[in-house]
Amino acid sequence: ETLEIFSPLAHRMGLWQYKTELADLSFSYLFPNEFHALSATVTSRLLSYQNTLASAKAQLEGELQADEWLHGRMRSVQVTGRTKSVYSTWKKMQRLNCGIDGVNDLVALRVVLNPEEDERLSLMSTPLGTQQRDVEEKSLCYHVLGKVHGLYTPLPRTLKDYISSPK
């Protein structure tokens, strides 16, 4: 019940930490053997995952801070990292019918952009002003995505464009 109702409900409400905690706890009771085996594997690799995230985060932050085009366009850029939860990893392994080494997104970076407010566009409450602001915000996102791809080559057929088609 928790895995099928309350965890998805927490997800829909944006309570990501609770969603993950509920899913992992439910998983540990419903599939104890699978949970303990996968949890042990993830725990043994956790230091490596954390080092990878820290290195990638520092590299990306350095690249974005050195980008002259972003200066004056951004109030702030926040880069955070995460490791995939045990239940989410197991679910993906089941869906792909693979082992843990077949899951490509065990670690991930998230980039949150806070653009400078363009006073000309904020005064324009017309659909044209709103459309222009959306175009400028998307161009910032694609610019940063280009920087990410300059550092890390995406795997073929795995890129999902949530800029043009948000979740």
Side-chain angles (χ1 to χ4, degrees):
E1 188 175 90
T2 299
L3 201 53
E4 293 177 3
I5 297 171
F6 295 113
S7 179
L9 183 60
H11 176 77
R12 288 194 202 320
M13 294 174 67
L15 303 170
W16 317 116
Q17 182 180 352
Y18 295 110
K19 175 241 182 222
T20 300
E21 187 175 346
L22 289 170
D24 282 352
L25 283 170
S26 298
F27 177 50
S28 72
Y29 284 101
L30 291 171
F31 302 97
N33 296 335
E34 291 87 342
F35 174 81
H36 291 299
L38 186 55
S39 183
T41 303
V42 169
T43 301
S44 71
R45 298 179 180 192
L46 191 58
L47 184 60
S48 171
Y49 293 162
Q50 290 171 337
N51 290 339
T52 300
L53 277 175
S55 171
K57 180 182 174 192
Q59 189 177 19
L60 181 56
E61 284 176 333
E63 186 76 19
L64 295 177
Q65 287 174 358
D67 188 336
E68 291 295 324
W69 190 80
L70 285 177
H71 291 280
R73 289 181 170 85
M74 303 303 304
R75 272 186 286 168
S76 66
V77 177
Q78 181 184 16
V79 180
T80 57
R82 64 107 178 122
T83 56
K84 197 171 198 68
S85 72
V86 177
Y87 175 68
S88 182
T89 302
W90 180 77
K91 202 164 71 169
K92 190 162 217 177
M93 288 167 54
Q94 298 300 305
R95 191 173 67 244
L96 299 176
N97 196 22
C98 67
I100 194 167
D101 293 325
V103 178
N104 294 323
D105 63 340
L106 292 170
V107 295
L109 292 177
R110 173 177 288 131
V111 180
V112 177
L113 306 175
N114 294 307
E116 286 289 345
E117 197 59 39
D118 188 339
E119 293 171 12
R120 294 175 300 117
L121 297 177
S122 64
L123 295 175
M124 298 174 67
S125 59
T126 64
L128 183 59
T130 303
Q131 185 179 24
Q132 180 65 27
R133 186 171 33 255
D134 289 345
V135 168
E136 289 185 13
E137 287 176 356
K138 285 182 181 180
S139 70
L140 285 169
C141 292
Y142 281 116
H143 179 79
V144 171
L145 182 62
K147 292 292 184 182
V148 171
H149 288 174
L151 294 172
Y152 310 103
T153 305
L155 296 172
R157 296 180 303 281
T158 61
L159 181 66
K160 296 176 185 171
D161 185 357
Y162 291 123
I163 299 168
S164 66
S165 304
K167 283 184 175 183

